[in-house]
Amino acid sequence: MRIEDYLAQLDRRLKRERRTGGVQARTLAEIEQLAWSFLDGGDARTACLLWERDLAVRRQLGAELPPTLQLAGLLGEGLRRAGELERARVLLAGTIEAMERVLGEDDFVTLATINNYALVLDQLGEHEEARDLFRRILPPMRRRLGDEHPDVLQMDQNLTSSLQALGDLRGARPIYERMLSVQRRTLGDRHPETLQTINNLGATVAQLGDPQRARALLQEAVDGRRATLGAEHPDTQRAMINLGRVLFDLGDRMRARRVLQEVFDQRERTLGLDHDDTREAMIALAPTLPELAPGVFVVPAPGVEPVRLVPVEDDEGGEPPDERRERWWRRA
């Protein structure tokens, strides 16, 4: 059955049950179970369509009953995942106000909903407010769950994302260090979440001027992701780009070239030369290659003519590109 047909059938069923004594508990359970199935399958939009019907019924039973508030928070998170950020913002803001009044400021559901609201703000570019909310909810979450709980680690990760967006690398670094210590102990060195933190910490310390530490961390991230995900996985390639840039900063141009050339070749083969990810690899690779003329490099690609990269002229009055890493290139 198409979801449109099911929703039409569901609307008729809800209308009939309202006329004959009220919506049945089994109907609400069916809606919620089906919505979770869609959300788990990556279809947040359809999950939201179902939860909206569920929430309309529950609000008639009691707009500030705990199950109603919890469902409203869940719908807000679904809207965030579906990309409807403004709707999510409005719904979650009102829901949090009611939750704090009914459930309490330090209730787990309240704190989790504030976390989801902060994620919405972060995606909307309101990083300072998001940062402040993450900082507010982390202490009570730590008291309730402990430093090693996955939800606490995820909130730490959310906070570092806000700090990174604000350019506060020094604030993010100790959080990454703490996360990594916990993840090594509880998840192991090769767990995907541990490797993600290793990569993030490596990139952060590189930007803070510690390339030796960054090289060790990023090499570990690359080796771990190669072993667990394979050389062509996007996460492996991102770690390789970070490693290649650090190697170049350390003066190891030949090794940097080998690492970055591998990423470029893989992306050129699988994505094509005009894909944004391939261009990212080109930009990272170009400074490591022999110069033919000022600002002109050749990128050797197997089986095709070499790709010549030429600097794009700046727009009049535009901001000049960085001297090295952030050059913009186009193929000629």
Side-chain angles (χ1 to χ4, degrees), residues 5 140 172 174 210 227:
D5 296 334
D210 189 355

Side-chain angles (χ1 to χ4, degrees), residues 75-122:
L75 174 58
E77 170 61 5
L79 290 170
R80 181 188 74 82
R81 296 193 195 185
E84 298 189 43
L85 299 180
E86 288 296 344
R87 286 187 64 200
R89 182 219 287 264
V90 172
L91 177 59
L92 289 174
T95 300
I96 289 167
E97 182 181 346
M99 284 180 171
E100 290 177 335
R101 185 171 60 252
V102 175
L103 304 177
E105 293 184 355
D106 288 349
D107 179 81
F108 177 82
V109 174
T110 304
L111 295 172
T113 305
I114 293 172
N115 174 75
N116 294 340
Y117 179 56
L119 289 173
V120 171
L121 296 178
D122 225 8

Side-chain angles (χ1 to χ4, degrees), residues 57-72:
V57 173
R58 290 190 178 277
R59 280 177 168 166
Q60 290 179 340
L61 300 175
E64 293 197 351
L65 290 175
T68 306
L69 294 175
Q70 187 169 355
L71 181 60

Side-chain angles (χ1 to χ4, degrees), residues 150-206:
D151 289 347
V152 173
L153 291 172
Q154 183 58 59
M155 288 183 181
D156 278 330
Q157 176 62 48
N158 295 342
L159 174 57
T160 60
S161 296
S162 294
L163 294 172
Q164 291 275 6
L166 291 167
D168 186 1
L169 302 180
R170 296 189 184 281
R173 179 173 181 169
I175 301 173
Y176 283 136
E177 299 274 15
R178 183 175 63 245
M179 289 173 60
L180 182 56
S181 176
V182 171
Q183 289 169 334
R184 286 192 190 279
R185 185 170 62 254
T186 59
L187 301 176
D189 294 338
R190 292 293 177 92
H191 191 279
E193 293 178 16
T194 307
L195 293 170
Q196 180 64 47
T197 303
I198 292 170
N199 177 73
N200 291 345
L201 178 58
T204 299
V205 299

